[in-house]
Amino acid sequence: MASVVKIVSQIGESALSVVGIRAGTEEPHYVGRPLADDVEIRQYGPRIAAETTVTGEKQRALNAGFRRLASYIFGGNHRETKIAMTAPVGQQSSGGADIAMTAPVSQTGNDAEGWTVRFFMPSKWSMETLPTPDDADIRLVEVPAETVAVLRFSGDRGPTAVADSTDRLLKVLRDNGVEPKGEAVAWFYDPPWTLPFRRRNEVAMPVDA
C-alpha cells in the first residue's frame, strides 16, 4: 500500500511540474535583497554538489553532463540508490538511503575548457555520507559560501537566451555600481516538459559581498 501511495504521489508531482510547481523539491537556502525589478542579491551558505565536465558543442555537452549526473542519483553509485524516473523530484529507495535532485541545476563553462553541470545535493547529506559515484568523471565538491547577483527569466533557456539574460544582468550591475567577481552561471529549476512560460530560469554572477 505504501508503494502505491508513493507512485501516486510521484505521478501527481510530475503533473504539477508541467506547470512549474516544484512539489517537494528542496532549494539551497539563501538570504536575499532586491536590486532591480527582476534582479536580487543573494547570500548562500556552503553547499555540496555533484558535478561533471564534458567537452564538445555546448548543448550536446550539457545534455551529456545532465545524463551522467542523473545516472548517479538514479542508482549509479556504490549503494545503488535510485530515484523513480517518472518524477525527478520523487524518490524511491532500493537498498540504501535516497538522494533527491534539488533545484537548481547549474551549468557553466566554455568551448576551450569544457562545460560543467552541477546537481546540488539535499542539505541532509555531507561529504562523508553521500554515496560514491560509479562514474569516475563525476566529482562530489564542496561549494563555499558566496554572494551572487541573480536575474530571473522564463521561457527559452538555450544559449542565446542565457547570453541575453547575462547581458541584462551585467547592465543592471553597472547601473547600480555593483562589481562582478566571476563568470555567470545558468541555473534551471524545472524539467524540460514544463511549459516554457512557467519555467524558472536564472543567471547568477558572483559579486563583492
Side-chain angles (χ1 to χ4, degrees):
M1 181 64 181
S3 61
V4 173
V5 172
K6 177 170 281 191
I7 290 171
V8 172
S9 175
Q10 291 167 351
I11 292 172
E13 289 171 357
S14 292
L16 290 172
S17 69
V18 172
V19 292
I21 299 176
R22 290 164 291 277
T25 306
E26 180 183 340
E27 297 180 17
H29 176 72
Y30 66 85
V31 176
R33 63 177 176 84
L35 182 66
D37 288 343
D38 52 359
V39 176
E40 67 177 339
I41 303 295
R42 297 180 188 170
Q43 292 177 305
Y44 284 94
R47 293 159 287 168
I48 297 175
E51 70 174 23
T52 189
T53 301
V54 184
T55 58
E57 187 273 328
K58 180 178 181 180
Q59 200 55 51
R60 284 198 296 270
L62 294 175
N63 289 341
F66 188 97
R67 289 193 298 270
R68 185 180 293 170
L69 293 175
S71 72
Y72 168 60
I73 65 170
F74 291 164
N77 55 72
H78 79 287
R79 295 181 197 159
E80 297 184 352
T81 301
K82 294 181 181 179
I83 299 174
M85 292 290 289
T86 54
V89 298
Q91 52 193 31
Q92 176 179 335
S93 177
S94 177
D98 297 338
I99 303 175
M101 183 179 69
T102 61
V105 174
S106 169
Q107 68 174 48
T108 187
N110 55 61
D111 290 336
E113 299 177 3
W115 302 93
T116 297
V117 182
R118 277 181 175 175
F119 285 3
F120 293 105
M121 298 292 100
S123 58
K124 71 175 184 178
W125 294 96
S126 68
M127 293 293 284
E128 291 73 28
T129 59
L130 278 167
T132 303
D134 289 342
D135 191 329
D137 290 324
I138 296 175
R139 305 174 296 275
L140 299 178
V141 298
E142 294 180 290
V143 182
E146 62 179 346
T147 300
V148 294
V150 179
L151 181 144
R152 181 169 175 170
F153 64 102
S154 60
D156 180 30
R157 54 190 184 187
T160 299
V162 170
D164 289 346
S165 296
T166 301
D167 290 341
R168 287 169 49 205
L169 177 57
L170 284 170
K171 183 179 185 305
V172 171
L173 295 182
R174 287 195 300 268
D175 291 347
N176 287 272
V178 178
E179 185 70 22
K181 295 296 182 181
E183 298 296 320
V185 180
W187 289 344
F188 305 128
Y189 289 76
D190 301 294
W193 56 79
T194 302
L195 296 172
F197 71 94
R198 295 290 298 175
R199 289 175 183 163
R200 177 182 172 185
N201 313 316
E202 294 176 339
V203 173
M205 184 169 292
V207 295
D208 194 328

